[in-house]
Amino acid sequence: MPGARKHVTLIPNEWSVGKLVTMTTTHAAEAPPPDAPDGLQEHFDATIARDQRIEPRDWMPEGYRKTLIRQIAQHAHSEIIGMQPEGEWITRAPSLRRKAILFAKVQDEAGHGLYLYSAAETLGADRDDLTRRLIEGRQKYSSIFNYPTLSFADVGVIGWFVDGAAICNQVPLCRSSYGPYARAMVRICKEESFHQRQGYELLMTMMRGTDAQREMVQDAVDRWWWPSLMMFGPPDDASPNSARSMAWKIKRHSNDELRRRFVDMTVPQAEKLGVTLPDPQLRWNEESGHHDFGTPDWDELMRVIKGDGPCNDRRMERRRTAHEEGAWVREAATAHAAKQAARAEKGAAA
Ligand SMILES: [Fe+2]
Ligand SMILES: [Fe+2]
């Protein structure tokens, strides 16, 4: 491609794990319970102010605990439901190599879900209860996974856009104030960056192929671009919980900041790839040093979040069936653990 840059940075260096610029925020104090021993709230506030971690053994305000459980559970559910759109292509991958890569990627997402459920358990949440809430529609997962995967190019575009957006969202979470969540994020982000690279490499290969393959890539880009921008959530002025999460340093950047970061990161990658992002308003703004871009359809986002996206029913049905069909595995594992415990007790008594 004439004029194209030799290298496209998939993940900008300054956003690499552990190298983020610290954002200063003021901590909104929440009153400790009346029976809390003196100094607990002060200790919590001071820990946050020093940018140190809150650990499971530490006292924390109930609002902080609940916010984290909700966020971590939603994140865990997204990883697990997110296995479905791409998982549907494992049996139809065009080569053994692509099948092995896709298999590994989908398995990674299952692993991410499990780390995150474990992180939620350190806050006193019960994994069964979280799964029940998901299945009963009382807890959400990312809106992006309610869109269909129509061709194998979608696998590449999901890796590039969806894992790319996940990286933008999650790298700052490596410095989240809650220790187990932050530590889970470090490992997850390393794997997400592999996911993004494999997606981009797949698309590069397709773009070097036939006209039909290039059309498949452009079609997938056209369908996934706007839903990917919606992954960052509603605009800041319509995101009431964000300010509190930022004060608690659970969240480090606003939805709009992260969305802009994603656009800035993705535009040169699209140029290098040779695809057009479907936004006539997209252009570089010399003055702001960022790209200007159009507004996602927020009504569509609300509809999808409320359950009326193209694949919500299918995703939930599949998750429910998998849970029911897996009941015997959970029962067997529980029986095995009980047997081992009884044996260990017997051995200790002998
Ligand atoms: Fe993931
Ligand atoms: Fe991923």
Side-chain angles (χ1 to χ4, degrees):
M1 214 172 78
R5 280 184 243 167
K6 278 226 169 71
H7 298 287
V8 169
T9 310
L10 284 178
I11 301 138
N13 290 335
E14 69 271 28
W15 271 52
S16 299
V17 177
K19 284 189 188 163
L20 281 164
V21 180
T22 308
M23 269 197 82
T24 43
T25 50
T26 45
H27 174 56
E30 177 176 305
D35 56 346
D38 285 347
L40 288 179
Q41 179 76 51
E42 288 76 9
H43 184 261
F44 174 84
D45 290 344
T47 306
I48 299 275
R50 282 197 304 268
D51 254 336
Q52 286 177 339
R53 299 268 162 81
I54 304 295
E55 296 297 337
R57 62 177 179 272
D58 296 333
W59 180 87
M60 61 190 84
E62 226 12 63
Y64 177 84
R65 183 190 301 275
K66 282 193 181 138
T67 300
L68 270 168
I69 291 176
R70 197 189 62 229
Q71 180 173 332
I72 296 173
Q74 192 167 317
H75 193 162
H77 299 331
S78 302
E79 300 283 358
I80 299 295
I81 297 280
M83 296 167 71
Q84 291 186 36
E86 289 174 285
E88 289 175 358
W89 282 92
I90 291 174
T91 55
R92 293 176 288 169
S95 69
L96 183 59
R97 178 170 175 266
R98 293 291 169 198
K99 192 193 284 273
I101 293 171
L102 184 55
F103 223 138
K105 198 240 180 198
V106 172
Q107 276 185 325
D108 282 354
E109 306 300 6
H112 298 172
L114 299 185
Y115 303 150
L116 288 162
Y117 284 126
S118 298
E121 283 178 321
T122 67
L123 290 156
D126 175 74
R127 192 181 299 205
D128 271 348
D129 177 53
L130 297 180
T131 303
R132 227 180 351 262
R133 281 169 194 262
L134 169 68
I135 286 172
E136 290 169 4
R138 289 187 287 137
Q139 275 181 344
K140 305 282 183 210
Y141 56 90
S142 177
S143 55
I144 193 75
F145 301 118
N146 291 312
Y147 291 85
T149 40
L150 304 183
S151 81
F152 201 72
D154 289 36
V155 168
V157 171
I158 288 179
W160 177 31
F161 285 172
V162 178
D163 291 275
I167 292 167
C168 280
N169 261 329
Q170 291 170 191
V171 167
L173 293 175
C174 297
R175 291 176 59 253
S176 167
S177 60
Y178 187 58
Y181 191 30
R183 288 188 288 274
M185 276 304 130
V186 173
R187 179 162 176 185
I188 289 176
C189 282
K190 286 180 185 165
E191 292 178 350
E192 299 299 8
S193 96
F194 155 70
H195 297 169
Q196 193 197 21
R197 276 158 204 276
Q198 68 79 33
Y200 197 72
E201 187 266 345
L202 164 58
L203 297 176
M204 266 298 179
T205 306
M206 291 185 79
M207 291 301 285
R208 284 195 295 262
T210 62
D211 283 347
Q213 285 176 304
R214 277 186 285 277
E215 274 164 32
M216 279 164 74
V217 175
Q218 184 61 57
D219 173 61
V221 165
D222 290 346
R223 284 181 290 106
W224 288 92
W225 174 248
W226 291 108
S228 298
L229 291 192
M230 293 176 201
M231 276 179 75
F232 296 92
D236 292 350
D237 51 15
S239 182
N241 293 330
S242 282
R244 205 167 64 146
S245 281
M246 284 175 72
W248 275 329
K249 296 185 185 173
I250 294 173
K251 194 174 164 155
R252 296 271 176 169
H253 304 273
S254 77
N255 296 354
D256 288 335
E257 278 179 296
L258 292 167
R259 191 169 5 252
R260 188 175 69 178
R261 180 82 206 185
F262 174 73
V263 172
D264 286 343
M265 178 175 100
T266 308
V267 169
Q269 297 165 4
E271 280 167 15
K272 168 83 178 161
L273 196 57
V275 294
T276 309
L277 298 173
D279 179 358
Q281 292 179 49
L282 185 64
R283 63 180 59 84
W284 177 251
N285 182 328
E286 198 64 55
E287 219 168 282
S288 68
H290 295 283
H291 290 86
D292 291 335
F293 53 98
T295 309
D297 181 347
W298 300 125
D299 292 340
E300 178 181 322
L301 175 63
M302 287 306 134
R303 276 199 308 278
V304 176
I305 288 177
K306 285 188 181 135
D308 196 19
C311 300
N312 295 58
D313 293 344
R314 197 160 105 201
R315 302 290 182 239
M316 289 305 289
E317 180 55 36
R318 182 80 199 275
R319 182 69 195 89
R320 223 172 279 131
T321 310
H323 187 66
E324 282 159 18
E325 287 177 351
W328 70 270
V329 179
R330 292 190 296 279
E331 280 161 25
T334 309
H336 180 70
K339 208 188 273 180
Q340 295 286 95
R343 239 179 241 160
E345 209 173 294
K346 219 171 172 186

